[in-house]
Amino acid sequence: MPFLSIIVPVYNAEAYLAECLDSILAQTFADFEVLLIDDGSTDGSFALAQSYAAKDARIRCFHQKNGGHMSARQAGFQKAAGAYIGFVDSDDWIDPAMYGRMCTEARTTGADMVCCNYTAVTPKKRIERRDFCDPGFYDKARLKADVYPRILFSGSFFHYGVSPSLCNKLFRRELLEKHLFRVPLSIRLGEDGLAVYPCLLDASSVSFLSESFYYYRSNGNSLTHTMDCGRLAENRLLFDTCEKLINLSMYPCMEKQLLFYYAYQCLLTFPPVFRTMQAAGAGFKKEFCEECSYPPVRRAFHAVKAGDVSGLHNKAYVLCIRHGLYGLFRFLLKH
């Protein structure tokens, strides 16, 4: 049984997949398997994945009907044999030392999770993203004292305390299994955090590394940057799922953090979604007012004040959403 299983969901990533897989095969650590889950690709991704599997016995390749990123990750987990699980997205790449450093940390400390930092790569620059907490080993007492109070919201709007990404982390198999399959497959934005934060809250110990080993390719055409009217329903499902998966009676420090997270998601999605509707000539007064009155949204925008956010438009959006000011919101979308 390998120490580590690396799960790589693949969907129409032919242009980037070779770079991704080459970076995995270049690891200084060798006790791993790679599970390539082709999620219904329509380009040459599956054939490329098969060619890599034919050359290296550590790679296994599978094909499934398109079900989304989380569906592919769950399918990969069901086929994985490793004691620890890691994820790499098929358009990203990793440092050669990543899994050697992280697996050594897991073996040495026995941590349930190991987290490193990551670098966002755009066509013009690279931006290192770091977790707020100091590097080191955190037992449960230290997690409760130093990490959980700022795990989701660091205190600056909006910066995560700990990145929600699955890809810059290792998970003990038994821990991840408890939470990965509770994530609704219909959620396509924010789904990582629905597995990561419950795992962090449930973990007995976590190690945070100082190094940035993971390289995330930030693509303006990716799903993360695509907004449509379905995002409003997805927001509701995301918020409702957060409240089901995070036990606020056990971790009351999460309540305010979640409200700031809801407000952030609304400020991220409301303007582009309603701007799209506006451009299409669709009236959206009813939809806007319904979203503003949705209980998690209403609670969030009574907790978050205009002074908590940066940017004049964002400050104005806070007021519009808090008070259901449709006319002003519509005016701001045009200016």
Side-chain angles (χ1 to χ4, degrees):
M1 182 180 76
F3 184 80
L4 172 66
S5 294
I6 305 168
I7 298 170
V8 183
V10 179
Y11 178 71
N12 288 353
E14 184 179 10
Y16 306 115
L17 183 58
E19 182 179 15
C20 172
L21 296 180
D22 288 343
S23 75
I24 294 173
L25 296 178
Q27 293 297 293
T28 56
F29 177 82
D31 187 13
F32 64 80
E33 64 172 355
V34 181
L35 298 110
L36 304 179
I37 311 298
D38 182 77
D39 189 41
S41 293
T42 57
D43 64 359
S45 294
F46 185 53
L48 182 57
Q50 288 179 310
S51 72
Y52 270 82
K55 292 184 290 186
D56 195 310
R58 294 174 297 178
I59 299 176
R60 291 189 285 153
C61 183
F62 304 90
H63 178 78
Q64 67 174 29
K65 182 180 178 181
N66 181 255
H69 226 51
M70 186 55 66
S71 171
R73 285 166 167 167
Q74 291 179 357
F77 184 96
Q78 291 174 327
K79 303 175 188 303
Y84 280 79
I85 308 292
F87 298 91
V88 179
D89 283 349
S90 56
D91 52 352
D92 300 336
W93 71 96
I94 59 177
D95 186 278
M98 177 170 165
Y99 285 126
R101 177 76 172 89
M102 297 181 81
C103 290
T104 296
E105 183 72 13
R107 280 174 163 160
T108 302
T109 65
D112 286 337
M113 292 176 60
V114 180
C115 309
C116 70
N117 296 301
Y118 72 95
T119 300
V121 181
T122 73
K124 295 183 178 180
K125 59 184 177 181
R126 297 187 176 192
I127 306 168
E128 187 179 20
R129 303 294 191 187
R130 305 187 66 83
D131 291 333
F132 81 92
C133 46
D134 294 330
F137 176 80
Y138 290 71
D139 61 14
K140 194 65 174 182
R142 193 180 178 195
L143 286 169
K144 288 180 177 179
D146 298 337
V147 177
Y148 295 165
R150 293 192 291 166
I151 190 175
L152 180 58
F153 175 58
S154 67
S156 176
F157 195 92
F158 187 86
H159 295 284
Y160 295 106
V162 179
S163 161
S165 175
L166 285 162
C167 293
N168 63 333
K169 298 172 178 68
L170 287 190
F171 301 84
R172 186 183 298 278
R173 179 189 186 88
E174 294 79 7
L175 174 67
L176 183 61
E177 187 172 22
K178 291 166 62 177
H179 301 287
L180 185 69
F181 292 91
R182 299 178 70 192
V183 180
L185 296 183
S186 57
I187 293 182
R188 304 297 179 97
L189 187 62
E191 75 274 24
D192 279 29
L194 293 175
V196 166
Y197 294 119
C199 280
L200 285 165
L201 292 171
D202 193 23
S204 297
S205 58
V206 180
S207 282
F208 291 92
L209 306 182
S210 61
E211 298 94 337
S212 292
F213 286 131
Y214 192 90
Y215 293 89
Y216 161 69
R217 195 186 306 273
S218 183
N219 180 351
N221 294 322
S222 70
L223 176 64
T224 304
H225 300 278
T226 302
M227 301 291 176
D228 58 31
C229 298
R231 280 291 295 130
L232 299 178
E234 194 169 321
N235 268 358
R236 292 188 176 206
L237 179 58
L238 176 63
F239 302 161
D240 291 344
T241 305
C242 284
E243 300 199 351
K244 290 178 182 177
L245 299 186
I246 295 178
N247 188 335
L248 295 181
S249 62
M250 184 176 293
Y251 298 105
C253 65
M254 293 297 296
E255 184 171 9
K256 183 177 180 180
Q257 296 184 68
L258 283 172
L259 293 177
F260 273 73
Y261 176 63
Y262 300 162
Y264 167 70
Q265 289 292 340
C266 290
L267 291 174
L268 181 70
T269 58
F270 277 25
V273 167
F274 285 114
R275 193 175 289 117
T276 298
M277 295 175 68
Q278 190 177 55
F284 59 81
K285 182 175 181 178
K286 179 182 177 183
E287 289 84 352
F288 175 74
C289 293
E290 285 179 350
E291 295 306 313
C292 293
S293 62
Y294 191 62
V297 175
R298 187 175 64 250
R299 294 200 312 271
F301 282 91
H302 278 83
V304 176
K305 310 303 181 186
D308 293 328
V309 305
S310 59
L312 290 176
H313 266 67
N314 277 337
K315 292 179 186 295
Y317 287 144
V318 168
L319 295 174
C320 290
I321 298 171
R322 181 189 303 158
H323 299 293
L325 302 177
Y326 164 73
L328 179 58
F329 183 79
R330 185 179 60 180
F331 172 82
L332 290 169
L333 293 181
K334 294 182 178 181
H335 297 83

